[in-house]
Amino acid sequence: MAWYLTRQRLAKREKFPLIVELEPLFQCNLECAGCGKIQHPEHILRRRMRVEDAVGAIEECGAPMVSIAGGEPLIHPEIHEITRELLRRKRFVYLCTNALLMERKLDKFKPSPYFAWAVHMDGLRERHDASVEREGTFDKAVSAIRAAKAAGFRVTTNTTFFTHDSPKTVREVLDFLNDDLEVDEMMISPAYAYDKAPDQEHFLGVAQTRKLFGEAFADGRRKRWRLNHSPLFLDFLEGKAEFECTAWGIPSYSLFGWQRPCYLMSDGYAATYKELIETTDWSAYGRGRDPRCENCMAHCGYEPTAVLQTTHSLRESLRALAG
Ligand code: SF4
Ligand code: SF4
């Protein structure tokens, strides 16, 4: 990543992707109330992205990392081929999954330093099963994580927090993932209030998010957890740093094309990353600019800003290396 950032700077490229959120389908085998992805009509939910379209989009934009999301990617019959083609091109791939199909499909994938599972884990058993609205999902995810680790895969997790979380529930789930399951790294995010999500009541505001993470991170825990975020982004989550959104750094490519402006919001689509960059008014988005962005502290908008600020500062670079 450091080499990639240096090359962008040498090429005087102002806007470039760090990670692409690739959505090769919208269908899922769960129906979480907070989800804004599965609300499309049936004929859209049945569509699958072609391998060549997925690979072509990543090659065109040049991103070094890809996060394959959805929907549930493991429903896609060619997901292992999309993954294999991206790995062949030395892209780092995170395969996001709710883990219901993970153990059954594990043998379609091979461990690689360029590949990591990213398992959706919203809390401990009761909390996670309530969040995804299906009993037994937590146990299946834990079993799949153990099987993947035993098979030599790198396993990360992705946890979304809502208003019914407290510093205690944040600590409990991160302690469990860090110490008991010993996953390689963990990602965390306050939930974003998608327009289309059926549950609109449980999304955190900015002040609530800062209070939640500020209290959860206290007593040195933040340093102990293997969090897959830059120190500056974690500062941002707990209110110690303020950034502007740079959504162009983590763009989203789906069945409809490049989504404007980000993974969370849709103001139309572009056919290429170049068109997305050149025809989007980036200054119109972010908190204080667009009311839909007001409560957003998601990593797809603010982690790129944190990463870019880190690489511009020797002190922050050393802190990131140490963390
Ligand atoms: S598992 Fe993910 S994609 Fe599936 S319904 Fe839940 S939030 Fe949506
Ligand atoms: S703040 Fe940025 S990442 Fe968040 S919804 Fe707005 S444009 Fe998207």
Side-chain angles (χ1 to χ4, degrees):
M1 179 58 88
W3 172 232
Y4 172 76
L5 289 169
T6 307
R7 275 191 296 148
Q8 306 313 309
R9 210 166 292 146
L10 290 173
K12 298 200 179 348
R13 204 175 168 198
E14 273 181 26
K15 294 187 173 64
F16 47 86
L18 302 178
I19 309 177
V20 173
E21 295 280 1
L22 180 68
E23 298 177 298
L25 81 172
F26 292 115
Q27 197 163 53
C28 190
N29 44 10
L30 286 175
E31 289 181 30
C32 310
C35 183
K37 299 290 176 182
I38 55 171
Q39 312 302 331
H40 291 286
E42 192 54 36
H43 70 280
I44 302 288
L45 293 179
R46 277 201 295 268
R47 284 179 57 192
R48 307 286 181 261
M49 186 181 287
R50 298 183 315 161
V51 178
E52 54 267 42
D53 292 340
V55 174
I58 304 306
E59 285 199 316
E60 188 249 330
C61 73
M65 297 167 90
V66 183
S67 167
I68 305 181
E72 169 52 50
L74 291 178
I75 292 177
H76 193 302
E78 294 177 305
I79 200 64
H80 52 290
E81 290 185 16
I82 293 176
T83 305
R84 193 174 57 215
E85 288 304 316
L86 294 173
L87 294 176
R88 248 175 20 96
R89 289 160 175 79
K90 295 264 189 293
R91 299 311 205 268
F92 196 97
V93 177
Y94 285 96
L95 183 45
C96 304
T97 178
N98 58 34
L100 290 181
L101 296 170
M102 188 170 148
E103 253 185 289
R104 207 192 308 161
K105 299 216 167 181
L106 214 51
D107 61 359
K108 287 185 176 288
F109 299 85
K110 282 201 188 112
S112 156
Y114 283 87
F115 178 73
W117 297 96
V119 180
H120 177 173
M121 281 293 237
D122 280 352
L124 295 182
R125 183 177 290 109
E126 197 182 330
R127 167 79 186 79
H128 180 73
D129 286 357
S131 175
V132 301
E133 302 191 22
R134 190 178 306 171
E135 257 182 53
T137 310
F138 175 84
D139 289 338
K140 278 202 166 157
V142 167
S143 170
I145 288 173
R146 290 206 163 110
K149 296 266 316 159
F153 286 98
R154 187 176 148 79
V155 182
T156 68
T157 51
N158 194 353
T159 305
T160 306
F161 295 104
F162 294 82
T163 50
H164 29 240
D165 279 299
S166 65
K168 182 171 174 285
T169 63
V170 174
R171 288 175 169 199
E172 281 172 351
V173 67
L174 294 181
D175 281 346
F176 173 73
L177 297 172
N178 197 82
D179 303 335
D180 296 3
L181 273 186
E182 297 182 332
V183 300
D184 291 279
E185 284 183 313
M186 303 169 289
M187 282 178 277
I188 54 175
S189 183
Y192 174 78
Y194 288 101
D195 281 351
K196 292 185 182 132
D199 174 5
Q200 289 290 328
E201 285 174 27
H202 295 110
F203 296 102
L204 293 158
V206 170
Q208 286 171 298
T209 300
R210 288 175 171 161
K211 186 167 183 307
L212 178 69
F213 289 114
E215 291 178 15
F217 288 169
D219 310 330
R221 268 194 167 76
R222 178 181 139 173
K223 279 209 170 80
R224 201 174 63 74
W225 290 323
R226 292 180 298 281
L227 295 171
N228 190 11
H229 296 287
S230 63
L232 274 181
F233 180 71
L234 297 173
D235 285 351
F236 170 71
L237 283 186
E238 58 174 320
K240 291 180 178 166
E242 190 53 272
F243 300 136
E244 293 197 348
C245 166
T246 45
W248 46 262
I250 303 190
S252 168
Y253 182 75
S254 74
L255 292 162
F256 303 126
W258 292 95
Q259 183 166 305
R260 199 187 322 274
C262 68
Y263 176 69
L264 304 169
M265 250 163 58
S266 169
D267 281 349
Y269 296 87
T272 61
Y273 180 72
K274 183 170 185 294
E275 181 190 327
L276 175 81
I277 291 301
E278 290 175 356
T279 62
T280 304
D281 178 6
W282 299 102
S283 66
Y285 296 103
R287 284 191 279 123
R289 297 169 177 170
D290 184 315
R292 295 169 298 173
C293 299
E294 225 37 62
N295 284 322
C296 177
M297 296 181 80
H299 90 287
C300 63
Y302 296 93
E303 182 80 88
T305 328
V307 168
L308 294 171
Q309 290 208 6
T310 300
T311 59
H312 281 114
S313 150
L314 179 61
R315 181 176 162 271
E316 290 302 336
S317 298
L318 292 173
R319 196 173 155 223
L321 281 172

